[in-house]
Amino acid sequence: MILRPSCTLPAVLISFLLLITSSVYAQDGSTFECRVTTDGLKFDLTSLAGEHTARRKRETPPTSTVDLLRFNLCAELERQEDVAESDQCTKGTRACFTQINSKADEKDRIISVISLMSASTQDLTFQAETSSPKYITITS
């Protein structure tokens, strides 16, 4: 994930989807509290604390498909009470991508659930770009 100091939330979400990998690297044991100092640069990510959602609806006749991204950079996602356990990302997930298929006069159905980032607070690696523009890449 790349965060630039002047990014808006939609730009952060696009970067988040494109740059998260599935491999896990252990950091030096320090606790991630949404404030990062790496390569001599400080980044305050507290504005990303809490759950955020991005949604896109695509017409896929005779149905429509909703792509839903839920993420919380600073903590695990809460379980969704109105969604079956089998239709949710695994416990411990920080970013979850879900596809929902809808058809007129039929109940919506979840067709895909993908954990994009499942990591403890110590399983994140950080790399800063010190040239202009300055940004941070977060990998789990």
Side-chain angles (χ1 to χ4, degrees):
M1 179 163 127
I2 295 178
L3 299 177
R4 292 182 177 91
S6 62
C7 278
T8 61
L9 187 56
V12 171
L13 292 174
I14 292 167
S15 298
F16 190 77
L17 280 173
L18 294 175
L19 296 176
I20 286 183
T21 65
S22 60
S23 59
V24 177
Y25 300 93
Q27 201 184 9
D28 63 1
S30 61
T31 303
F32 178 62
E33 297 175 353
C34 287
R35 288 185 174 86
V36 180
T37 301
T38 186
D39 299 327
L41 297 174
K42 293 181 181 182
F43 295 89
D44 183 349
L45 309 177
T46 55
S47 64
L48 294 175
E51 186 172 311
H52 299 278
T53 304
R55 177 185 308 257
R56 174 182 71 166
K57 183 175 183 179
R58 298 177 289 131
E59 294 303 320
T60 51
T63 65
S64 61
T65 301
V66 174
D67 298 326
L68 178 66
L69 170 68
R70 296 173 48 235
F71 81 94
N72 184 344
L73 182 64
C74 302
E76 298 173 2
L77 290 171
E78 297 290 327
R79 307 307 288 163
Q80 295 175 292
E81 293 180 16
D82 58 339
V83 177
E85 190 68 26
S86 61
D87 289 335
Q88 296 191 50
C89 282
T90 56
K91 291 181 181 178
T93 297
R94 290 175 179 240
C96 183
F97 179 74
T98 305
Q99 289 184 310
I100 305 163
N101 184 263
S102 300
K103 189 172 187 178
D105 301 323
E106 293 185 21
K107 186 177 176 183
D108 289 356
R109 62 190 182 121
I110 295 175
I111 58 174
S112 178
V113 179
I114 302 167
S115 294
L116 296 175
M117 184 173 151
S118 295
S120 72
T121 57
Q122 296 181 356
D123 291 334
L124 301 173
T125 59
F126 307 94
Q127 180 179 354
E129 175 58 51
T130 57
S131 63
S132 185
K134 293 178 173 74
Y135 62 88
I136 187 171
T137 301
I138 303 173
T139 309
S140 77

